[in-house]
Amino acid sequence: MLLAFDTATPLVTVALHDGDHVVWEGVSERPLQHGEQLAPLVDRALREAGLVRQDLTAVAVGVGPGPFTGLRVGLVTARTLGYVLGIPVYGVCTLDVLAVEAVDTGTVAGDFVVATDARRKEVYLASYDETGARLEGPSVAKPADAATELPVVGEGAVLHPEAFPHSVGPGMPSAGWLARVVTEERAELQDPEPLYLRRPDAATPGVPKRVS
């Protein structure tokens, strides 16, 4: 029994997968409250599926890219569950999960881009081929600098239509698809470490000008 969750975007998403199918999936009701909503949503998933934590055999967690606070909540929870229960924890790039869902649901048919909201008027993005294999990225950029005519999956396209005019679904990551990606090994499985891409606010000072 695999428990999967992602906290890389404003909403928390949680799912349970029994090795063959997703048996439960839910999304938090309020955005940007990862710390308050992840644990209750996990407890609800187990309760409604008739399980206890000791029934879990693995944990899957989205590693981002995403904001520091949300990622920290998810990854600390995943590592803690893995340690306490003595079960493996698998990390997956959140953009890869969106890519696999887009391919398998038929919303893309060739090369495409996944873009999510990085705030500060930037996006996290990566490019993929028609099978969902990542070609380039992930990276963080201004939408104008990453503008493309390719189909763009994810919330980034919805927020910045001037740069990404061909928006396609899905918009937000799904823990159910994260569980499928891990179970079927459809993307690179990583250690549960956060994927931070934010460029530093402070720039390295340049060479001082000579006083004439």
Side-chain angles (χ1 to χ4, degrees):
M1 185 64 66
L2 172 71
L3 170 67
F5 49 83
D6 192 299
T7 59
T9 60
L11 294 175
V12 176
T13 174
V14 175
L16 291 167
H17 194 291
D18 66 2
D20 293 314
H21 306 285
V22 173
V23 296
W24 193 95
E25 183 169 8
V27 179
S28 62
E29 297 178 354
R30 299 184 302 278
L32 301 175
Q33 295 187 17
H34 305 87
E36 296 84 351
Q37 299 201 53
L38 177 57
L41 199 55
V42 170
D43 289 342
R44 177 186 164 195
L46 294 171
R47 183 177 66 255
E48 294 186 359
L51 303 170
V52 295
R53 294 190 178 190
Q54 288 71 22
D55 293 321
L56 300 175
T57 55
V59 176
V61 61
V63 300
F68 175 80
T69 302
L71 284 183
R72 180 179 61 184
V73 170
L75 289 162
V76 168
T77 301
R79 289 195 294 257
T80 300
L81 284 171
Y83 176 77
V84 171
L85 299 174
I87 57 179
V89 179
Y90 304 105
V92 180
C93 173
T94 300
L95 304 183
D96 291 353
V97 175
L98 283 163
V100 170
E101 181 179 358
V103 169
D104 284 13
T105 56
T107 61
V108 293
D111 290 359
F112 64 99
V113 172
V114 176
T116 58
D117 184 20
R119 304 182 193 173
R120 303 186 196 175
K121 298 181 179 179
E122 293 183 324
V123 291
Y124 299 118
L125 73 162
S127 59
Y128 297 83
D129 68 15
E130 68 277 2
T131 70
R134 197 188 323 154
L135 300 173
E136 188 176 356
S139 60
V140 61
K142 296 287 186 184
D145 296 335
T148 180
E149 293 295 322
L150 289 173
V152 179
V153 173
E155 188 184 21
V158 177
L159 295 173
H160 305 284
E162 71 287 349
F164 309 118
H166 302 295
S167 173
V168 297
M172 302 291 283
S174 154
W177 280 95
L178 168 60
R180 294 183 183 96
V181 166
V182 171
T183 302
E184 300 170 14
E185 297 187 18
R186 295 285 302 281
E188 179 185 0
L189 303 184
Q190 307 175 20
D191 291 331
E193 298 295 334
L195 184 55
Y196 296 133
L197 298 180
R198 173 66 67 201
R199 293 177 294 201
D201 292 327
T204 303
V207 178
K209 294 182 179 181
R210 296 181 61 183
V211 179
S212 56

